[in-house]
Amino acid sequence: MRTTRRGFLRALAAAGIAAAVPRPAAAGPPCAALAGRTVRWIVPTAPGGGLDTTSRLLVPQLSRVLGTEIVIENVPGAGAIVGATRIRNAPPDGGTIGVLNAPALLVTNLIGETAAPNPASDFTILGRIARSRQVWATGGRSPLRTMDDVLERARRGPIVFAVEEVSTPGFLSAALAASLLHLDAAFVAGFSSGRDTALAAVRGDVDLVSFTFESILDRIESGDLRPLLQISATPVAEHPSLRGVPLLGGPGGLAAREAARLGQSVEEAQADAGAAEAILGAGRLVVAPLGLPPAVLSCLEEGLFAAASSPEFVRLASASERSVEATRGPAAVAELRVVRERAARFLPAVRAAVERARRP
Amino acid sequence: MKVRLDERSLVTLTFLAGAAGALALATRMGPVARRVPIVVAAVTTGLLLRQAWVDLGGRRAEAQAEADPARRAREAALLGSLAALVALLWAFGPAPAVTLFVLLYLRALGREGWPAALAFAAGIGVTLHAVFGTLLGLRLYDGRVALWLTGHWR
Amino acid sequence: MTLAWPHFLLLTGTTLLAMVFSLLPGVNAATLAALLIPFTFRWDPVTLLLVFGPLVGGATFMGSVSAILLNVPGNPPNAATLLDGHPLARQGQAMTALGCSAAASALGSTFGVFVLIALLPVMREAVLLFGPPEFLMLAVLGLTTVTAVRFGSMVKGLAAAGIGLLLSFVGQDPKTGELRYVFGCLALWEGLGMVPMLIGLFSVAEMLDLAASGRRRIADHEAFGAPAGSVREGVLSVFRNFGLFLRCSVLGTVVGIIPGMGGTVASFVAYGHAVQSAGADRARFGQGDIRGVIAPEAAHDAKDGGSLVPTLTFGIPGNEGTALLLVALGIHGIVPGRELMTGGLSLVFVLIWSLFFSNWITSLVGLAVARPLVRLTLAPTHRLVPCLLGAAVLAAFAAKGRGSDVVVALLAGVLGYVMKRHRWPRISLVLALVLGRMFELAFHQTLQLRSLGKVALAERPVFLALLAVTAFLIARPLLRGLRRGGGAA
């Protein structure tokens, strides 16, 4: 049983870091629609995880931009479903907003096992503060040097991935990309943390892991891990270690190449790769209940974008190894629309991957 | 065989019921999820059956815990106080609940006078607020009453 | 550098602050670390590491002081110390217990630090030696001690362990995510929290027992003007049982090297080993056997040195303190890994020596301040009980900020009280509880990796060594029994 007391203390530290930063001048006029009110920011996980830490770095900035008090409330439980439900059911008056890890909830909805709120349809999306851009990586001592080696190995037996849990972006990335590349993938789940999961690849107990590039950059630079595939149509970062590492999507991407090799539609493969990237890239969304008044919606959207793209927030996030990328609400909504349209195509692949992960 | 149903036997039977229930529930789990629990529950149920046979038959080597009416009364009062603590927690949140609990315990079970009880409770309350509320930033007053009053409970 | 007087002043000051936090239930040195992080922005790396040494694990003895005197562990890993430490205090041997705890703590930490230094050239390889098969054998090894700590009926001991295992299965199955034994309660999805369970089984249960017993004071005798034991005797007891101390220090260090196992596992498994290795001479465990203090204290503090191994090589925290250390290092751009272990080795030594000295400062100063605290054992129970119950409630709540954890703690307290009253061994239950989830997960992962052809058990030396040790520990009492010509021990 994991104690998240450790997480709580990290949250405390993050709050302290944020409080210690010199305050910038206000980015714009305060939000009149929220004047004199206290806004609740729901974090659907226990203190100290990624969502919570990012929130504690962002909320002080947002509070200053909006000119209103924002109070963070942790509502953990049931894999973030409790907190997400609390946001969805709150009165649509701007008094309650929150942050979600969209890919996790999308997976839960895709496999339909639990009545979880759907980020694509059950919320007003105010914006995105971080996008998950994954890379596949193998251990530094692994005999798998390139994706060609991986594809060759896959013809003889399953490629083994280590994942924390079935609902993580890492699992989803592995499941979706493996289905696009027609890879036979097996999943070993249950590692206690991201770093522990990565260690399984370093040890050689598994073939591959999937993480955001920033979170394993230190392991890549030390030679413990080697990136093999970028789950994206464009490079996930400018870094020497990614030179020569193929992309999944795009015209020259691996998905299109494999589709051509197998005599399947290249355009469909590229569209599927784009949808997979959109599902993963749904990232961390800031949401509110459906039916917000237009003035409140506009104010929250603009304020969130200003806070999430402020230099102070970006610097603080970087100091705690968090990649952040601000996207306005309408753009995030447009991407999620693609996800909704394409998600059904991935349903069999995701279901099969979940079954495989749960197999004895 | 003479069956000896006393407090000790009842405890064993309660554990046995729990383990048997866990076994029954384990049979309804998925094949992977039940693999270890079913074995553990089955073995535990078997062991508890053995222990129940020993306890009910009075064949025990260990000394029996003394049956003391005064102790029973204190136990009942303590259970009641814990139930009251849970109710206070639900209604008022941790800090007010603990402060009120200390006050009520000192008065009802500790037979302290009002001045001492109030002083203790106030000291506890201030310390809790200072350490857990102010220093650690925990939300200590989010009982149902407070949430209802501020319109946040639905 | 560490011994320059401004640095020493800083180290001592932080240690004293950490001691205060470690003494209070519900907060600990890691809490202080979280509060200090915002102030570290302008510090140089040496100052940062001097301050974080005590916060990583330098003041844990103070949690044992409240465990021994009040039967309330300052932190979950201190719970194992109260099993024999508090009975010693009730028998008027509080200072003996405290002296023993202080010595075992300081010496255990020293052992862990020297092992850490010895492992510096091979730290990375040491961490990589442990994977799911090794975790599985460690869990099995820990579970074998259950048969030793039963304090009476073997059937009851095994049944209590079974109950502990069943409690560890509550929540999501670690492999499939399927919900087990949650009865529709969302608060149970993530399982029964370790912190509220231990607080309940020990702190709450002991307070209930104290109140129900009708005892007016904790101590069984008037200690005013009478000696409460001998610090010298307590210290000497560590040397008289040096073999046990060494074995438990090794155990603690190994547990520390393994990411995620933590001080609670180290303490309880060491306690179980102490009982197991006592053979026929185990009657006094649970009633004031000094070996029951040496074992968990040595293991718990030796673990701190071991836990820096995965932290400094791979950035994997072993406990709350090391998790915050990583946050602080990250702010200063210090990244764990090869670069730190080669170019930044001088900083690593600053941290190591800071940890070393802070443990000794804590033991020496702690003993001095503990003597007046012994008088708490004479405080009226009707005042102590509600205050300590309240502290336990807040400690359970502070873990995750959830009211449901308080309910878990109180229910566990009732269970612990019933078990104590009717002589069901709580230690067996707790051992199984702390190890159950790790055992099941490692079991599934090992089976799966083996079926996928990713691990060959016969080619893993650590796995084989642990298997041999486990087999020996299981076979030894059977062989002894056969030699005696009677039943098994």
Side-chain angles (χ1 to χ4, degrees):
Chain A
M1 55 193 70
R2 304 171 200 173
T3 175
T4 59
R5 181 190 168 89
R6 173 185 313 176
F8 167 73
L9 295 173
R10 291 188 72 131
L12 201 61
I17 293 169
V21 171
R23 290 155 197 271
C31 185
L34 296 173
R37 302 183 59 187
T38 299
V39 175
R40 279 195 316 164
W41 176 289
I42 306 279
V43 178
T45 58
L51 273 183
D52 181 74
T53 308
T54 306
S55 297
R56 289 177 190 275
L57 299 177
L58 176 65
V59 160
Q61 308 294 325
L62 183 61
S63 183
R64 278 190 279 277
V65 167
L66 295 179
T68 191
E69 189 191 4
I70 304 177
V71 173
I72 292 179
E73 190 176 315
N74 292 91
V75 185
I81 291 175
V82 175
T85 307
R86 182 81 61 91
I87 302 169
R88 183 189 64 186
N89 295 345
D93 57 3
T96 303
I97 59 178
V99 63
L100 304 176
N101 212 343
L105 286 172
L106 285 170
V107 169
T108 312
N109 271 277
L110 269 179
I111 60 180
E113 285 184 348
T114 321
N118 190 335
S121 59
D122 292 343
F123 299 94
T124 302
I125 295 171
L126 302 175
R128 178 173 50 228
I129 54 176
R131 185 197 294 272
S132 176
R133 306 190 86 184
Q134 300 268 321
V135 295
W136 284 7
T138 188
R141 295 187 284 204
S142 167
L144 302 172
R145 315 293 298 180
T146 65
M147 276 307 295
D148 288 333
D149 294 336
V150 173
L151 294 170
E152 175 61 37
R153 163 80 73 83
R155 294 190 188 105
R156 298 194 303 270
I159 296 294
V160 182
F161 286 83
V163 296
E164 271 181 81
E165 287 175 19
V166 159
S167 61
T168 55
F171 168 78
L172 196 55
S173 154
L176 291 176
S179 78
L180 287 172
L181 298 175
H182 308 282
L183 273 183
D184 183 15
F187 302 93
V188 180
F191 294 92
S192 61
S193 68
R195 287 192 176 267
D196 213 23
T197 310
L199 206 55
V202 176
R203 260 196 315 266
D205 289 341
V206 300
D207 295 317
L208 295 173
V209 289
S210 182
F211 283 100
T212 59
F213 180 69
E214 290 77 14
S215 65
I216 54 170
L217 179 57
D218 56 338
R219 297 272 69 82
I220 291 171
E221 287 177 335
S222 67
D224 288 331
L225 291 175
R226 185 185 322 116
L228 290 188
L229 177 68
Q230 303 181 62
I231 312 299
S232 174
T234 54
V236 301
E238 290 294 321
H239 194 273
S241 65
L242 291 175
R243 250 177 247 135
V245 176
L247 305 168
L248 176 69
L254 213 53
R257 198 189 85 178
E258 284 299 295
R261 186 179 70 81
L262 294 169
Q264 295 172 353
S265 165
V266 170
E267 288 75 23
E268 282 292 318
Q270 285 184 36
D272 284 346
E277 189 181 347
I279 291 176
L280 291 167
R284 288 175 180 162
L285 301 176
V286 177
V287 299
L290 288 170
L292 281 186
V296 173
L297 173 62
S298 159
C299 182
L300 286 172
E301 274 182 358
E302 288 305 314
L304 176 68
F305 184 74
S309 50
S310 66
E312 293 80 21
F313 173 63
V314 173
R315 187 169 64 77
L316 287 173
S318 175
S320 51
E321 285 184 4
R322 315 227 162 252
S323 69
V324 291
E325 185 182 315
T327 307
R328 290 180 191 277
V333 169
E335 288 185 31
L336 272 182
R337 206 169 286 135
V338 171
V339 170
R340 281 170 72 177
E341 286 160 8
R342 284 278 173 173
R345 295 172 62 85
F346 293 114
L347 183 57
V350 172
R351 277 227 172 97
V354 170
E355 281 306 307
R356 188 80 190 261
R358 291 173 175 177
R359 203 177 295 166
Chain B
M1 181 186 87
K2 186 182 167 195
V3 172
R4 190 173 170 169
L5 194 66
D6 54 9
E7 199 174 296
R8 179 167 290 192
S9 314
L10 281 171
V11 168
T12 306
L13 288 174
T14 306
F15 286 158
L16 174 59
L23 179 60
L25 288 170
T27 57
R28 303 207 300 227
M29 295 173 186
V32 177
R34 71 167 174 240
R35 191 188 268 169
V36 178
I38 209 168
V39 171
V40 171
V43 170
T44 306
T45 303
L47 288 165
L48 286 166
L49 273 170
R50 168 82 170 93
Q51 186 62 37
W53 186 77
V54 167
D55 288 340
L56 287 169
R59 294 179 196 77
R60 47 181 89 112
E62 300 150 348
Q64 164 80 300
E66 35 326 332
D68 173 7
R71 183 165 190 136
R72 291 254 166 83
R74 286 192 291 269
E75 286 173 350
L78 281 167
L79 268 180
S81 71
L82 289 186
L85 177 57
V86 173
L88 287 171
L89 198 69
W90 180 87
F92 300 111
V98 169
T99 308
L100 281 170
F101 171 77
V102 169
L103 176 68
L104 294 172
Y105 186 103
L106 286 172
R107 283 291 301 154
L109 298 182
R111 307 223 198 297
E112 283 278 1
W114 276 109
L118 280 168
F120 254 98
I124 293 286
V126 167
T127 307
L128 291 179
H129 182 82
V131 174
F132 293 95
T134 306
L135 202 59
L136 297 185
L138 288 174
R139 293 171 71 85
L140 300 177
Y141 305 96
D142 273 355
R144 288 293 180 269
V145 171
L147 291 177
W148 178 71
L149 285 174
T150 53
H152 281 130
W153 179 36
R154 44 188 64 75
Chain C
M1 179 194 303
T2 310
L3 296 178
W5 75 264
H7 291 131
F8 201 73
L9 210 60
L10 184 64
L11 177 62
T12 308
T14 315
T15 302
L16 293 175
L17 263 180
M19 286 168 62
V20 171
F21 273 73
S22 291
L23 186 60
L24 302 170
V27 293
N28 59 14
T31 313
L32 179 59
L35 296 167
L36 283 177
I37 278 186
F39 300 100
T40 67
F41 275 107
R42 291 190 175 78
W43 293 357
D44 61 276
V46 170
T47 305
L48 177 77
L49 292 169
L50 281 174
V51 167
F52 269 77
L55 305 181
V56 160
T60 50
F61 165 63
M62 298 311 289
S64 301
V65 171
S66 52
I68 289 168
L69 295 180
L70 302 174
N71 224 6
V72 175
N75 295 289
N78 299 122
T81 304
L82 62 80
L83 293 167
D84 279 280
H86 187 66
L88 280 168
R90 284 183 59 179
Q91 293 158 25
Q93 296 294 316
M95 291 313 296
T96 309
L98 288 170
C100 173
S101 172
S105 174
L107 289 169
S109 170
T110 303
F111 182 91
V113 160
F114 281 116
V115 168
L116 174 63
I117 293 172
L119 283 180
L120 277 176
V122 294
M123 264 161 85
R124 198 173 161 281
E125 283 66 33
V127 175
L128 292 178
L129 282 175
F130 289 89
E134 289 73 27
F135 296 159
L136 175 64
M137 282 320 304
L138 276 167
V140 171
L141 181 62
L143 286 170
T144 62
T145 63
V146 156
T147 57
V149 296
R150 63 191 188 276
F151 301 140
S153 156
M154 171 77 87
V155 172
K156 276 179 145 178
L158 291 174
I163 292 169
L165 282 174
L166 290 173
L167 290 173
S168 78
F169 298 149
V170 173
Q172 283 185 300
D173 170 46
K175 177 158 169 55
T176 66
E178 183 176 335
L179 294 171
R180 301 183 300 192
Y181 303 127
V182 299
F183 307 106
C185 179
L186 290 180
L188 292 178
W189 270 45
E190 288 152 12
L192 296 168
M194 179 66 70
V195 170
M197 284 298 292
L198 286 176
I199 287 172
L201 285 168
F202 293 101
S203 306
V204 176
E206 293 300 330
M207 286 303 108
L208 291 178
D209 185 55
L210 187 61
S213 68
R215 279 204 328 269
R216 289 168 59 194
R217 294 181 172 78
I218 288 176
D220 290 335
H221 69 288
E222 288 287 341
F224 280 115
S230 158
V231 169
R232 187 169 172 275
E233 273 306 305
V235 172
L236 285 177
S237 67
V238 177
F239 294 96
R240 289 194 196 110
N241 294 278
F242 204 67
L244 174 68
F245 161 79
L246 266 185
R247 291 194 306 274
C248 292
S249 297
V250 168
L251 189 79
T253 309
V254 169
V255 168
I257 290 173
I258 299 164
M261 282 191 86
T264 309
V265 171
S267 305
F268 279 100
V269 172
Y271 185 89
H273 167 71
V275 179
Q276 193 177 43
S277 62
D281 181 27
R282 62 175 65 165
R284 278 195 54 75
F285 276 98
Q287 294 169 57
D289 193 317
I290 199 71
R291 292 171 295 179
V293 176
I294 295 170
E297 288 295 312
H300 179 209
D301 281 88
K303 170 215 52 114
D304 293 325
S307 70
L308 284 177
V309 173
T311 302
L312 296 175
T313 46
F314 290 106
I316 298 176
N319 56 23
E320 298 156 351
T322 48
L324 291 161
L325 171 66
L326 288 171
V327 172
L329 289 175
I331 290 170
H332 287 76
I334 301 172
V335 179
R338 280 213 181 96
E339 203 182 305
L340 179 65
M341 300 310 297
T342 49
L345 206 53
S346 58
L347 291 178
V348 172
F349 273 99
V350 169
L351 179 64
I352 289 173
W353 292 123
S354 171
L355 177 65
F356 172 78
F357 282 116
S358 66
N359 265 289
W360 281 94
I361 293 171
T362 302
S363 287
L364 292 169
V365 174
L367 274 178
V369 303
R371 190 174 284 274
L373 290 177
V374 172
R375 294 167 77 87
L376 275 176
T377 60
L378 296 176
T381 54
H382 73 270
R383 288 182 182 171
L384 263 184
V385 165
C387 296
L388 291 176
L389 270 177
V393 162
L394 262 300
F397 180 78
K400 280 189 193 175
R402 294 194 314 192
S404 55
D405 285 340
V406 176
V407 176
V408 168
L410 294 177
L411 288 173
V414 172
L415 172 65
Y417 172 72
V418 167
M419 290 182 77
K420 181 175 179 172
R421 188 93 182 101
H422 296 284
R423 296 177 59 81
W424 286 80
R426 282 176 295 169
I427 178 74
S428 300
L429 186 148
V430 169
L431 269 169
L433 188 66
V434 301
L435 292 170
R437 209 158 173 82
M438 185 178 100
F439 164 76
E440 190 188 15
L441 180 62
F443 174 72
H444 283 308
Q445 286 182 334
T446 301
L447 276 188
Q448 188 181 16
L449 287 170
R450 198 162 161 275
S451 71
L452 289 168
K454 298 305 292 180
V455 296
L457 296 178
E459 293 169 15
R460 296 179 82 106
V462 176
F463 172 82
L464 293 171
L466 290 170
L467 181 64
V469 169
T470 306
F472 171 72
L473 288 174
I474 292 173
R476 192 171 67 162
L478 295 173
L479 291 172
R480 221 183 261 147
L482 283 171
R483 249 188 271 129
R484 278 201 222 107

